[in-house]
């Protein structure tokens, strides 16, 4: 349902040594919303994603998923990681497992799904990302764009409440970027809640409900794509846009 907070960060702070990498971050992502996070390298975008999935701890503030604080450890943490899927720049597929096995692994291990049921569902998901014919191949036999689509299918296999994407197309050859963005656009249309760190401004303009501009550990702007791209307020964002557009 729109208008209902699914991910909520309040007053979140984190340092790496002296570096204040997340500074008083307030961010709400509603159910079904697509939030694109952009900004210069080193601004804290990856750390933000990792904090939401609790791959990083925070020092102060709160992060809630669906109205509940992120769990600290144990089974509840594994459950959280399943509920908030993450897709990385580097695909992170298991090289020694087939495409189908990559997708089945977490449902069988974490969810205790039956193998035949998990395999059926994995084929369904592969069909959704246009790769059902590649089920028995190994990741190295696929192109980068295909591997990233498998990584998305793998995240979807856990029926996540939200998906985080950290520069999902940055490692891809240009001709493969669109096939991955198209899968992401399709997910957005289907109502998936998504936080997407990307430099693909076309995707931000066409698919985002909001653009969050992050620099030096702060959220500098948080506005609609129309507002952000036509009239950025901060010098930081103007400077960033003038370099990439
Ligand atoms: P972005 O994704 O926007 O490029 P990151 O979140 O990766 O930014 O990094 C923000 C800053 O934190 C950078 O200066 C980076 O060097 C630093 N940083 C990231 N991870 C670590 C770490 N594990 N230890 C120390 N410094 C880190
Ligand atoms: Mg990053």
């Amino acid at each position: 349902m729109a208008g209902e907070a699914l991910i909520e960060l309040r007053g979140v702070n984190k340092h790496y040594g002296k570096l204040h990498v997340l500074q008083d971050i307030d961010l709400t992502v509603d159910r079904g919303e697509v939030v694109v996070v952009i900004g210069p390298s080193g601004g804290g975008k990856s750390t933000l994603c990792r904090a939401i999935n609790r791959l990083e701890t925070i020092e102060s503030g709160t992060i809630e998923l669906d109205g509940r604080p992120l769990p600290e450890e144990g089974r509840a943490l594994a459950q959280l990681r399943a509920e908030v899927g993450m897709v990385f720049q580097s695909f992170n597929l298991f090289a020694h497992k087939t495409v189908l096995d990559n997708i089945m692994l977490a449902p069988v291990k974490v969810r205790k799904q039956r193998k035949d049921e998990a395999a059926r569902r994995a084929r369904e998901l592969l069909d959704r990302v246009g790769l059902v014919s590649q089920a028995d191949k190994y990741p190295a036999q696929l192109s980068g764009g295909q591997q990233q689509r498998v990584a998305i299918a793998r995240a979807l296999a856990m029926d996540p409440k939200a998906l985080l994407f950290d520069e999902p197309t940055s490692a891809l050859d240009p001709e493969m970027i669109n096939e991955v963005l198209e899968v992401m656009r399709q997910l957005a249309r289907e109502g998936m809640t998504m936080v997407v760190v990307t430099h693909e401004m076309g995707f931000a303009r066409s698919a985002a409900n909001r653009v969050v501009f992050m620099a030096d550990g702060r959220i500098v702007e948080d506005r609609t794509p129309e507002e952000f791209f036509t009239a950025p307020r901060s010098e930081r964002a103007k400077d960033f846009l003038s370099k990439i557009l």
Side-chain angles (χ1 to χ4, degrees):
M1 227 193 318
E4 191 189 327
L6 181 63
I7 301 169
E8 190 153 33
L9 292 82
R10 276 187 239 105
V12 170
N13 283 280
K14 178 176 184 71
H15 290 78
Y16 288 122
K18 282 184 182 161
L19 181 70
H20 200 169
V21 63
L22 297 178
Q23 302 191 35
D24 296 319
I25 299 290
D26 292 315
L27 177 68
T28 302
V29 181
D30 284 346
R31 215 176 283 279
E33 212 175 14
V34 177
V35 173
V36 166
V37 181
I38 67 174
S41 177
K45 305 180 298 295
S46 293
T47 307
L48 177 74
C49 283
R50 292 167 61 82
I52 293 172
N53 209 14
R54 220 180 175 291
L55 294 165
E56 297 282 355
T57 55
I58 58 172
E59 289 147 13
S60 64
T62 58
I63 304 179
E64 291 187 347
L65 178 71
D66 231 355
R68 281 175 307 165
L70 297 192
E72 297 286 312
E73 56 192 10
R75 274 185 65 88
L77 182 56
Q79 181 67 24
L80 166 82
R81 298 249 168 84
E83 286 182 350
V84 183
M86 184 130 173
V87 175
F88 301 90
Q89 180 175 329
S90 51
F91 325 138
N92 293 2
L93 297 173
F94 298 107
H96 57 288
K97 290 191 182 292
T98 65
V99 163
L100 196 77
D101 285 341
N102 263 279
I103 299 173
M104 289 170 57
L105 189 70
V108 170
K109 287 254 146 85
V110 180
R111 287 276 163 81
K112 311 293 176 204
Q113 256 182 36
R114 273 182 25 213
K115 280 199 173 161
D116 57 344
E117 172 59 21
R120 189 191 59 72
R121 172 100 168 106
R123 283 182 198 282
E124 245 174 53
L125 290 166
L126 277 174
D127 194 32
R128 238 166 110 181
V129 300
L131 289 173
V132 78
S133 62
Q134 310 295 315
D136 299 322
K137 297 225 172 116
Y138 287 86
Q141 296 174 283
L142 305 186
S143 73
Q146 289 174 323
Q147 290 186 56
Q148 194 59 302
R149 286 187 280 151
V150 172
I152 294 172
R154 183 176 62 174
L156 289 171
M158 296 299 276
D159 295 315
K161 290 179 177 170
L163 283 180
L164 310 175
F165 294 84
D166 191 1
E167 300 202 26
T169 61
S170 293
L172 298 178
D173 292 335
E175 73 272 19
M176 293 170 188
I177 290 176
N178 241 326
E179 66 191 61
V180 172
L181 294 180
E182 195 39 57
V183 167
M184 293 165 61
R185 283 197 188 91
Q186 180 61 32
L187 289 173
R189 283 194 290 272
E190 290 166 5
M192 177 62 74
T193 307
M194 296 166 37
V195 176
V196 183
V197 178
T198 186
H199 299 296
E200 294 296 325
M201 296 302 128
F203 178 83
R205 276 177 191 274
S206 63
N209 299 105
R210 275 160 50 215
V211 170
V212 166
F213 177 73
M214 234 186 134
D216 300 330
R218 289 183 187 280
I219 291 181
V220 180
E221 304 205 24
D222 180 349
R223 306 165 67 200
T224 67
E226 295 78 30
E227 289 170 336
F228 180 75
F229 288 112
T230 54
R233 286 200 185 115
S234 59
E235 287 308 315
R236 218 44 225 272
K238 282 179 199 165
D239 182 54
F240 178 77
L241 288 173
S242 75
K243 284 179 181 139
I244 58 157
L245 291 180

